[in-house]
Amino acid sequence: MRNKILNILKNTESYVSGEEMSRTLNISRAAVWKHIKRLKDDGYDILSVTNKGYKLKSIPDIPSSDTIASGLNTEFTARNIKCMSVIDSTNEEAKRCAAMPDGSLFIAEVQSAGKGRLGRSWESPNGAGIWMSLLLKPDIPPRDISQITLIAGMAVCRVLGNGAGIKWPNDIVIGSRKVCGILTEMSAEIDRVNYVVCGIGINVNTAEFPAELQDKATSLFIETGKTYNRSELVCAIMNEFEPLYKLFKKEGFSPLLEEYRNSCITIGREIRVIYRREALIGKAVDIAEDGGLIIETENGRVNVTSGDVSVRGIYGYI
């Protein structure tokens, strides 16, 4: 009911009376008042004026189930939300809660043990970013799970706009610096996926980074000089992700290939890839239909389906 009241307030420019809300929602005016009070306690700035009613002045920049749910137009994605102040890792929490419904979203203000690919740590400071994980239960072969990382990257790029590009397979960059990382993990048997956890970390309102990261990491605030409402960004990403994901489950990655190619900054660059414990050096020339990176090496073309990629000019060779 709080979500419905919040939606009414968000979609009304002027004041809306408690009587009107009680009539629309078929609840008492006292119940409306109680829900308004709880929203205020959660940080919503709601004006209350006698004989006028209520008006939403501002929304707190603390991702919550109410604020996220009120902006969703999804069927199942993020329809169950678990918000946490501090957690070791949203990916780990999603694994612990794998019995929750398909599409459940886990989001935290702080991760004490956030992680990226290949076991690297991921800095997750309080109040500055989006640290979230989706629990998914697709009926697809385990070999296709890596493509969910690509879909998540496309959703983030759509929301961040033309300045953002995808460094294959799991980084979103602006210019030459990383603004978002994606980590997809799964529990599977030989021919069956039990569940998938897709973790997305975005540097949103971070003002500065340690000296050792300043040439590699950036944030939306650093790039634009503007602060962003994190709940609105979460909603936008979920709303973009679901149709991409549903199309992928129905028709595979092929219908999404051209858009991904257009967003991928890795294509056309000299790269170094750690693949099957060996270093491959060559030029990234295309994205395969299975989402793999096609590399032209001195020994011919190789389709790399996973690996640690260093792109000349993007982070340098590591």
Side-chain angles (χ1 to χ4, degrees):
M1 189 58 66
R2 281 206 304 171
N3 289 339
K4 292 180 180 179
I5 289 175
L6 186 56
N7 270 324
I8 291 173
L9 292 171
K10 287 174 67 176
N11 294 317
T12 306
E13 292 186 5
S14 58
Y15 286 87
V16 56
S17 70
E19 181 180 356
E20 182 179 344
M21 282 193 281
S22 68
R23 187 168 57 249
T24 300
L25 300 174
N26 196 29
I27 60 175
S28 68
R29 291 182 64 179
V32 170
W33 180 85
K34 287 180 180 178
H35 287 299
I36 293 288
K37 184 178 184 303
R38 288 173 185 168
L39 287 169
K40 287 183 175 180
D41 291 342
D42 287 342
Y44 292 88
D45 188 359
I46 300 173
L47 301 177
S48 303
V49 177
T50 304
N51 297 326
K52 283 190 174 183
Y54 305 100
K55 181 179 180 179
L56 181 62
K57 187 176 179 182
S58 66
I59 297 173
D61 185 31
I62 300 174
S64 68
S65 57
D66 288 330
T67 53
I68 295 170
S70 67
L72 292 173
N73 56 30
T74 60
E75 176 188 337
F76 65 92
T77 304
R79 287 300 174 182
N80 290 276
I81 305 172
K82 184 173 184 179
C83 295
M84 299 153 286
S85 297
V86 181
I87 197 69
D88 53 352
S89 157
T90 56
N91 266 31
E92 292 303 313
E93 181 66 9
K95 294 176 193 175
R96 290 189 287 264
C97 299
M100 287 182 65
D102 184 22
S104 294
L105 179 67
F106 302 80
I107 187 164
E109 273 291 277
V110 177
Q111 291 184 122
S112 60
K115 59 182 180 178
R117 293 181 74 243
L118 306 177
R120 298 190 181 106
S121 63
W122 176 271
E123 294 295 323
S124 311
N126 184 22
I130 293 171
W131 327 121
M132 63 181 177
S133 298
L134 270 173
L135 175 67
L136 303 169
K137 301 180 180 181
D139 184 16
I140 61 174
R143 67 176 179 271
D144 293 339
I145 291 301
S146 62
Q147 296 164 26
I148 292 176
T149 301
L150 310 186
I151 294 166
M154 291 170 65
V156 173
C157 266
R158 284 184 175 185
V159 172
L160 299 193
N162 294 333
I166 301 172
K167 173 181 171 283
W168 186 93
N170 69 314
D171 289 349
I172 309 301
V173 300
I174 298 177
S176 62
R177 296 184 292 180
K178 180 175 178 177
V179 71
C180 168
I182 300 167
L183 176 63
T184 301
E185 302 176 282
M186 72 172 172
S187 169
E189 299 167 25
I190 293 176
D191 59 351
R192 179 177 177 273
V193 174
N194 297 321
Y195 63 83
V196 176
V197 174
C198 182
I200 302 173
I202 307 174
N203 300 324
V204 181
N205 294 322
T206 307
E208 62 180 354
F209 290 91
E212 64 271 18
L213 293 177
Q214 287 179 3
D215 62 339
K216 298 178 182 179
T218 190
S219 70
L220 299 181
F221 175 79
I222 290 171
E223 294 297 324
T224 67
K226 300 187 301 183
T227 57
Y228 290 77
N229 184 285
R230 291 175 294 153
S231 292
E232 291 179 359
L233 285 175
V234 172
C235 289
I237 292 167
M238 295 298 100
N239 289 337
E240 291 289 354
F241 176 84
E242 183 171 282
L244 292 169
Y245 179 63
K246 289 170 74 173
L247 179 60
F248 163 69
K249 289 197 296 178
K250 183 179 180 181
E251 300 183 31
F253 192 68
S254 294
L256 307 172
L257 186 55
E258 191 61 28
E259 179 180 344
Y260 188 86
R261 282 181 178 137
N262 292 336
S263 299
C264 183
I265 57 88
T266 310
I267 296 174
R269 295 178 181 265
E270 297 293 326
I271 66 170
R272 176 179 182 270
V273 180
I274 305 300
Y275 181 58
R276 295 176 179 172
R277 299 184 179 180
E278 294 185 5
L280 294 177
I281 296 177
K283 184 177 182 179
V285 295
D286 203 358
I287 301 295
E289 289 202 359
D290 63 357
L293 183 65
I294 300 176
I295 305 171
E296 188 78 60
T297 73
E298 61 182 12
N299 297 317
R301 291 194 171 191
V302 178
N303 181 1
V304 177
T305 53
S306 64
D308 186 23
V309 180
S310 296
V311 182
R312 181 176 292 168
I314 301 293
Y315 315 144
Y317 280 166
I318 300 173

